[in-house]
Amino acid sequence: MNAENLSDAARLYATAVEALNRSDWPLALSLSEKLLPRANTHPGVHFVAGVACLHMHRIAQAVQVLRRAVMLNPARADYGAQLARAFAAARMARESVEAADHASALETQDPMTLDTLGVVYSQANLHAKAAAMFRRAVEARPDVASFRFNAATSLTACGDLAAADAEYEACIARNPHYWKAHLALAHLRTQTKDANHLQRLESLGASGGEGSAEGRMYVQLALSKECEDIGEHERSFRHLVAGKAAGRSLRDYTPTRDEELFDALMRAFPDVESGGAGHQSVEPIFVIGMPRSGTTLVDRILSSHPSVHSAGELQNFGAVIKRASGSRSPRLLDAETIVHARRLEWGRVGDAYLASTRPGTGSTPHFIDKLPHNFLYAGYIARAFPKARIICLRRNPMDTCLSNFRQLFAQTSPYYDYSFDLLDTGRYYLLFDRLMAHWQRVLPNRILEVDYEGIVDDQEGHTRKLVEFCGLPWHDACLRFERNDAPVSTASAVQVREPIYRSALQRWRRYEAQLAPLRALLESSGVMVD
């Protein structure tokens, strides 16, 4: 390349970096793609292209060019962190952790890179590593609200609730409009009439919280939680409906989308499954069910056993099915993917799934994958792992629907759009109930259904039943799950650190009048409500 071309390439690269720094992702990508044929050995050009691709959701391309950037300059921790982030976006969990470990070993001091690594570790359920990264990011830039929020989230998962409280408050002090910090703080403990955040939340609801749908959603839901804690249930429900309505306005959801998906799954498994062709491992234990039905409680009970590790809510199984199917559709699970997945080699699917969980698993004879929505994949799980245990949690239908409607689930997840409307939630429950009846018919003796209320009423009896079903010898630690110090990042992160309590039973009765339309919907479809 002559001097003139070098000068032109340098100008293009500088302009691409400027575009990246001001978040003009299309321009940064366009310029870097022009440069790549002339500067294929320049790691910075690949890095700019990769970060731009990540933000434009061109994940496969992001992985490709960021891999090249790291190969050309393995000493740059920021390159490695973005590659780890790309792997995580591609649901390549093992590769993501390996890339993050390589980047963190470079001992970077850059706070943005440290924060990115913390996010990657959080997504991999490695919360101790995540907390260490976030702590270093906060130490480097204590003024950045997002760093304080991320640190608080990992501290919550690790059970250090006092430190998490301090970090959430530090986040809000630096940015009072960091809306999700207000909701997280409301959920961190049970509020009282003498100690709550209602005055601050009400002032936000009257000002900034009214300015955007996202702000209204977080503030109204925080108000709902705190009003419920102090016994103002009617007021709590008004805030809940307002918050969820604001969130629903941000989504393009129709129940027919889920109806079509559930119907396609049942068509794909019309008859009793023969089993036997998949991977023969007994290592994974799948805990499934509607969210907020007790899946985290069962995970904590079983993972208190020395032979069982909790791997958290893994997205891996669905990602493995998607990749193996060859489907190019945008959704993780849809009719196209189901059609393409009819003739998979199930032993290879099992191999790929187990490999994707490493290195987080493999140190104990069993691990738990407790992604509730794996109930969609029960047929595939049974084919891939004919000897794996599958446990489905059931809970009072009204309590299940109310708890789903009350909860603000992960905003980037494809699973929870139904939960922004009370009757949509009821319709989704009916789909779940029908699908589980189908799985029980075509997968006889494969799925143990356990009632949450039964565990509360007879903890030892149901714990022994769970332990026996999993083929484990009895261990008394399973009765003391609240002493389990393993991190937990689900919506139940605070509650499962306490012994079993009864206050969540029949919670719906507090809102009986407001839930009358939901009850009518369920009962009209033959679901018993008591």
Side-chain angles (χ1 to χ4, degrees):
M1 190 181 294
N2 60 39
E4 183 178 346
N5 285 338
L6 279 172
S7 177
D8 179 54
R11 283 195 297 272
L12 272 178
Y13 178 61
T15 306
V17 171
E18 289 173 3
L20 192 76
N21 289 336
R22 65 172 183 271
S23 303
D24 187 343
W25 316 120
L27 180 59
L29 181 58
S30 173
L31 293 172
S32 57
E33 285 183 329
K34 286 181 182 178
L35 276 170
L36 281 173
R38 290 184 279 169
N40 196 42
T41 59
H42 191 296
V45 176
H46 289 85
F47 177 73
V48 171
V51 174
C53 285
L54 262 176
H55 284 277
M56 295 172 69
H57 306 290
R58 295 167 62 167
I59 305 303
Q61 186 179 354
V63 168
Q64 180 183 3
V65 290
L66 286 168
R67 266 180 164 157
R68 176 76 172 159
V70 170
M71 185 189 74
L72 291 168
N73 191 349
R76 286 287 296 263
D78 53 343
Y79 291 10
Q82 292 299 325
L83 176 59
R85 184 180 167 203
F87 280 136
R91 296 184 173 90
M92 299 169 69
R94 178 176 55 82
E95 293 87 345
S96 176
V97 171
E98 288 171 352
D101 285 346
H102 171 79
S104 62
L106 297 173
E107 291 295 327
T108 180
Q109 301 303 314
D110 174 55
M112 284 296 296
T113 299
L114 291 166
D115 184 68
T116 299
L117 290 170
V119 170
V120 169
Y121 282 133
S122 293
Q123 292 171 338
N125 296 301
L126 298 172
H127 294 287
K129 285 186 173 184
M133 294 295 108
F134 291 138
R135 181 173 61 251
R136 290 173 59 193
V138 166
E139 289 170 353
R141 287 292 306 275
D143 57 311
V144 178
S146 63
F147 295 171
R148 310 304 289 256
F149 178 85
N150 288 342
T153 301
S154 271
L155 288 165
T156 302
C158 293
D160 193 345
L161 304 186
D165 187 293
E167 288 298 331
Y168 282 132
E169 288 289 4
C171 170
I172 292 168
R174 283 151 182 80
N175 181 2
H177 292 171
Y178 204 94
W179 306 119
K180 55 187 176 180
H182 294 281
L183 181 58
L185 194 57
H187 280 277
L188 199 60
R189 62 176 174 84
T190 300
Q191 312 298 320
T192 68
K193 290 185 176 181
D194 296 325
N196 58 65
H197 311 96
L198 285 171
Q199 185 174 355
R200 180 169 67 192
L201 290 167
E202 287 164 352
S203 69
L204 287 168
S207 56
E210 298 295 332
S212 70
E214 183 183 42
R216 289 196 304 276
M217 176 179 70
Y218 282 110
V219 171
Q220 291 293 325
L221 293 179
L223 282 164
S224 175
K225 164 61 168 63
E226 301 214 359
C227 286
E228 181 180 69
D229 283 351
I230 64 173
E232 297 187 10
H233 297 115
E234 185 175 341
R235 181 182 170 198
S236 170
F237 201 83
R238 287 200 307 270
H239 286 302
L240 173 60
V241 171
K244 283 305 186 81
R248 198 180 197 283
S249 72
L250 300 171
R251 284 156 181 80
D252 179 22
Y253 173 73
T254 59
T256 55
R257 187 184 79 199
D258 285 323
E259 291 169 10
E260 291 168 357
L261 173 63
F262 281 63
D263 287 344
L265 283 168
M266 288 189 285
R267 286 195 302 271
F269 293 83
D271 301 311
V272 173
E273 289 288 300
S274 58
H279 198 291
Q280 298 302 302
S281 173
V282 297
E283 189 178 346
I285 299 170
F286 293 90
V287 178
I288 63 175
M290 278 289 286
R292 310 295 293 144
S293 62
T295 54
T296 302
L297 174 60
V298 167
D299 171 81
R300 300 297 279 187
I301 288 171
L302 289 175
S303 65
S304 297
H305 196 288
S307 295
V308 182
H309 165 70
S310 173
E313 295 189 355
L314 301 179
Q315 304 284 335
N316 303 40
F317 192 85
V320 167
I321 293 291
K322 185 72 173 182
R323 283 196 291 270
S325 74
S327 168
R328 300 295 181 183
S329 58
R331 293 192 177 276
L332 187 63
L333 184 62
D334 54 20
E336 178 185 316
T337 307
I338 292 167
V339 169
H340 281 70
R342 284 177 178 167
R343 295 180 179 86
L344 298 182
E345 295 185 42
W346 295 105
R348 290 189 177 183
V349 170
D351 271 333
Y353 169 76
L354 287 178
S356 77
T357 69
R358 309 298 196 233
T361 65
S363 59
T364 57
H366 302 276
F367 70 87
I368 298 172
D369 181 340
K370 67 147 300 250
L371 182 70
H373 271 90
N374 272 337
F375 71 76
L376 295 168
Y377 293 95
Y380 300 111
I381 291 169
R383 286 178 176 174
F385 293 103
K387 295 182 179 178
R389 270 60 170 189
I390 308 172
I391 300 165
C392 179
L393 267 293
R394 304 301 295 253
R395 186 182 178 189
N396 176 288
M398 292 290 286
D399 278 337
T400 299
C401 292
L402 174 61
S403 195
N404 274 253
F405 184 52
R406 289 174 69 243
Q407 185 64 42
L408 185 64
F409 296 103
Q411 297 294 283
T412 57
S413 172
Y415 294 122
Y416 304 110
D417 284 352
Y418 67 86
S419 67
F420 288 88
D421 178 87
L422 180 63
L423 293 185
D424 282 349
T425 304
R427 294 182 189 101
Y428 194 88
Y429 177 86
L430 293 173
L431 292 174
F432 159 79
D433 191 54
R434 183 165 63 103
L435 181 61
M436 286 310 306
H438 179 78
W439 290 142
Q440 290 290 13
R441 183 178 71 80
V442 301
L443 305 173
N445 304 314
R446 286 302 313 275
I447 303 173
L448 174 68
E449 293 199 3
V450 180
D451 291 333
Y452 168 75
E453 291 81 5
I455 299 174
V456 174
D457 287 336
D458 180 13
Q459 180 184 355
E460 181 170 349
H462 279 74
T463 298
R464 288 186 178 276
K465 185 178 180 181
L466 286 164
V467 170
E468 181 182 0
F469 177 76
C470 293
L472 298 167
W474 175 253
H475 200 286
D476 285 342
C478 295
L479 292 175
R480 301 188 295 272
F481 66 88
E482 71 276 8
R483 301 182 189 178
N484 187 338
D485 60 2
V488 56
S489 58
T490 69
S492 305
V494 177
Q495 295 97 314
V496 295
R497 299 188 187 281
E498 304 170 356
I500 281 181
Y501 53 89
R502 302 186 60 83
S503 59
L505 300 182
Q506 297 285 306
R507 186 193 296 270
W508 72 274
R509 295 285 185 188
R510 304 172 189 173
Y511 306 99
E512 194 160 358
Q514 295 92 333
L515 297 179
L518 171 66
R519 182 173 187 171
L521 172 69
L522 296 178
E523 290 184 335
S524 70
S525 297
V527 172
M528 297 296 295
V529 172
D530 54 28

